Amino acid sequence: MERKNVSGVETKEAGYGAVKYKDEGEVSSWKFWKKRRYVVAILAFLGFFTSYILRVNLSVAIVAMTEDKKDENGEIYHKREFDWDSKTKGLVLSSFFYGYLSTQLFGGWLAARIGGKRVFGLGIAATALFTIITPPLVRQSVYILVVLRIIEGICEGVTYPCIHAIWANWAPPLERSKLATLAFSGSFLGTVFAMPVSGMMAEHLGWPSVFYVFGAIGLLWFILWWIVVKDHPEDDPHISQFELEYIKSSIGNTESKMKITHPWKAMFSSPPVWAIVAAHFSENWGFYTMLTQLPTYMKDVLESELEATGFMSALPYLAMTLVVQFSGQLADYLRTKKILTTTQVRKLFNCGAFIFQTIFMTCAAFVSTKAGAVICITIAVGLGGFAWSGFGVNHLDIAPKHASVLMGIGNTIATLPGVVSPIITGYIVQNKSATEWRTVFIIAGAVYLLGAVIYGIFASGEKQSWADDTSNKQGEEVYDNPGLEIDNL
């Protein structure tokens, strides 16, 4: 059924929303800054960028905090400030994730009630504030640092779930993928930025500067976010009438809500659901192991200077930033052209990535040269971008109406590696030897392989029979997230 909206834009009904065919009234596509939905996406990108520089900074700063600085002759010219053993450092690095895993489901629930803008912005702003006060408090006790990092994790735990509340109101169906991808890629680029910059700042300005500067960046971003971004397009005073009508007609009427009853028993007994959870857990094990431990490994085994350590530690995440963009486009191309089925695409991208990650992570354990180790680790982490086009969007394939809940469940369990991996590494790496670090890499490779096997056997790209088992109750105001529905192309 074709119709004209109030702006005279020709649209066609497609499922739950109206899909635009012609946008003569809109500005040229390259003038993205004049489209308010892209302004929101760019500021969300900067928000995720900020959240990750606040998360990653300690991984590099802890090296400067706990290691002596030596000159070319091996003479100590700057004594370390904290004498923490590997177990203590493992506890410090893992503490963030204790808080992070506790607010995944809560973040989405809260955003539905007070708005995604508020939850996303305040979560990052609070993290930035606690980051700024870290240096004076950590000098009092290492346990204060642990508590601070737990609180920061609680604040940042809301970010991923709550951003979907914003896309539910701002992202037209045919633009959800690119808007969401643009925003989430800020996470990986934030890691790329934080690793080398933290190293340079710690080397030349002292480790406290890492916390002061990054915390200040977070607060500046929050001010910009709070002023510019609105929860709903109609609340934005700078949006054009054309864009407003396009977004509203594309998304459809979201004012009338129906309660979705989630089939908990069916979800928790569904093999495809646990295949996604297992894959998410496996990917995060390797990702978080490298995220928290790579700078220390570079220092212990490769004997890199702190500044060089930061640059080399950033390479894997630069590779992942590029791969995740490419893999998403390729996955959609293969599905759109019907070259492969959705199930085949998900399994190929996910299992293929995990198998090669197993190979290169194991190779990194046995390579003795600095260049070889960096290359293997970069490839291993970077290939994770393909896995995200597998399990990362698979929730939408098997149960679009329940995708937000499945993401919350999976992201909670997949955060556990951030807690467990640094602690295990701390117990394994007692003497800072290459043999001890070899064990860490082999464990990561084994987890990748296990994830590939489970996902390869049980994953599916088809909508599950229980996915429609909902009882809709009229008249109840609840949150239904249309921003998570897959585009029906």
Side-chain angles (χ1 to χ4, degrees):
M1 181 181 70
E2 294 186 356
R3 62 184 175 86
K4 297 273 187 177
N5 66 17
V6 295
S7 296
V9 182
E10 185 178 286
T11 60
K12 183 177 181 180
E13 296 295 337
Y16 54 85
V19 179
K20 185 187 71 169
Y21 276 86
K22 195 172 184 179
D23 60 350
E24 292 176 351
E26 194 165 25
V27 296
S28 300
S29 59
W30 62 272
K31 295 181 179 179
F32 61 87
W33 60 88
K34 291 190 176 182
K35 300 178 183 179
R36 298 301 288 182
R37 61 190 184 275
Y38 282 92
V39 172
V40 172
I42 291 170
L43 287 175
F45 164 88
L46 294 175
F48 281 110
F49 175 90
T50 302
S51 74
Y52 261 71
I53 67 175
L54 296 173
R55 181 187 306 193
V56 173
N57 57 3
L58 184 61
S59 297
V60 177
I62 199 170
V63 178
M65 296 164 69
T66 60
E67 299 288 341
D68 296 326
K69 289 185 179 180
K70 300 179 180 180
D71 58 23
E72 296 177 353
N73 299 320
E75 297 292 331
I76 298 175
Y77 66 90
H78 189 278
K79 187 72 175 176
R80 60 189 173 190
E81 192 165 345
F82 303 97
D83 190 17
W84 299 337
D85 59 21
S86 60
K87 295 179 182 178
T88 302
K89 288 190 283 187
L91 173 63
V92 169
L93 291 171
S94 67
S95 57
F96 175 92
F97 299 99
Y98 286 104
Y100 187 73
L101 65 83
S102 69
T103 49
Q104 296 294 320
L105 290 174
F106 175 72
W109 175 87
L110 186 63
R113 282 151 180 79
I114 68 172
K117 165 195 169 176
R118 294 175 177 84
V119 180
F120 189 71
L122 291 173
I124 295 176
T127 305
L129 182 60
F130 285 114
T131 299
I132 290 175
I133 64 175
T134 293
L137 292 181
V138 71
R139 291 188 171 110
Q140 303 302 314
S141 170
V142 65
Y143 298 106
I144 293 180
L145 175 60
V146 170
V147 172
L148 281 175
R149 293 293 288 182
I150 291 175
I151 296 173
E152 289 176 20
I154 291 173
C155 296
E156 281 207 11
V158 303
T159 53
Y160 269 92
C162 77
I163 196 67
H164 291 309
I166 295 175
W167 297 138
N169 297 315
W170 275 95
L174 295 182
E175 296 184 26
R176 285 174 186 153
S177 298
K178 58 184 177 183
L179 289 173
T181 301
L182 173 59
F184 289 140
S185 62
S187 302
F188 305 118
L189 193 62
T191 305
V192 173
F193 174 86
M195 289 289 191
V197 173
S198 295
M200 289 188 293
M201 291 172 60
E203 182 72 26
H204 299 291
L205 302 176
W207 64 264
S209 66
V210 177
F211 298 94
Y212 293 138
V213 173
F214 285 4
I217 290 174
L219 293 180
L220 289 174
W221 167 85
F222 169 71
I223 294 172
L224 185 62
W225 170 266
W226 197 262
I227 293 173
V228 174
V229 174
K230 308 298 179 184
D231 277 309
H232 300 274
E234 57 267 31
D235 297 329
D236 191 327
H238 302 291
I239 192 171
S240 68
Q241 185 65 26
F242 182 91
E243 183 179 11
L244 176 61
E245 293 299 336
Y246 166 46
I247 292 174
K248 298 300 288 184
S249 64
S250 297
I251 293 177
N253 181 21
T254 59
E255 297 301 321
S256 176
K257 303 297 181 185
M258 295 184 297
K259 183 173 182 178
I260 295 178
T261 302
H262 301 293
W264 297 106
K265 183 178 180 181
M267 286 196 295
F268 280 107
S269 60
S270 173
V273 168
W274 288 105
I276 295 171
V277 173
H280 201 166
F281 180 93
S282 299
E283 173 58 28
N284 275 14
W285 185 283
F287 183 84
Y288 283 140
T289 297
M290 294 296 98
L291 187 68
T292 59
Q293 302 296 330
L294 192 53
T296 303
Y297 166 76
M298 297 281 189
K299 182 73 174 180
D300 290 352
V301 178
L302 304 183
E303 299 180 347
S304 298
E305 293 300 322
L306 186 57
E307 189 171 335
T309 294
F311 278 103
M312 288 190 293
S313 298
L315 289 177
Y317 305 101
L318 177 59
M320 193 171 190
T321 302
L322 300 175
V323 170
V324 74
Q325 297 290 342
F326 171 76
S327 67
Q329 297 292 332
L330 180 60
D332 283 346
Y333 174 82
L334 294 174
R335 295 172 62 219
T336 301
K337 297 296 183 181
K338 298 184 179 180
I339 297 174
L340 296 173
T341 66
T342 299
T343 300
Q344 290 171 336
V345 168
R346 302 300 181 225
K347 288 188 176 184
L348 175 64
F349 278 51
N350 199 99
C351 297
F354 279 5
I355 290 172
F356 280 103
Q357 285 179 291
T358 299
I359 294 171
F360 283 100
M361 194 64 79
T362 305
C363 289
F366 292 94
V367 170
S368 57
T369 64
K370 182 184 297 186
V374 171
I375 290 172
C376 288
I377 293 171
T378 298
I379 295 175
V381 174
L383 288 174
F386 281 101
W388 276 97
S389 291
F391 77 85
V393 293
N394 202 186
H395 317 80
L396 298 168
D397 302 324
I398 66 172
K401 292 182 180 179
H402 310 289
S404 58
V405 172
L406 296 179
M407 175 65 81
I409 295 170
N411 214 26
T412 299
I413 296 175
T415 301
L416 293 176
V419 177
V420 177
S421 176
I423 294 176
I424 291 177
T425 301
Y427 276 91
I428 293 174
V429 182
Q430 297 285 331
N431 302 308
K432 304 179 181 180
S433 67
T435 302
E436 292 171 336
W437 279 104
R438 185 173 298 157
T439 303
V440 174
F441 286 110
I442 290 175
I443 291 175
V447 173
Y448 279 135
L449 185 59
L450 179 61
V453 172
I454 295 175
Y455 194 84
I457 295 174
F458 297 109
S460 173
E462 304 302 320
K463 189 175 183 179
Q464 300 299 292
S465 59
W466 49 262
D468 287 323
D469 185 20
T470 60
S471 52
N472 297 327
K473 300 178 181 179
Q474 300 288 346
E476 297 188 39
E477 185 74 15
V478 296
Y479 180 58
D480 176 27
N481 194 345
L484 280 174
E485 297 285 353
I486 193 166
D487 298 337
N488 187 17
L489 297 177

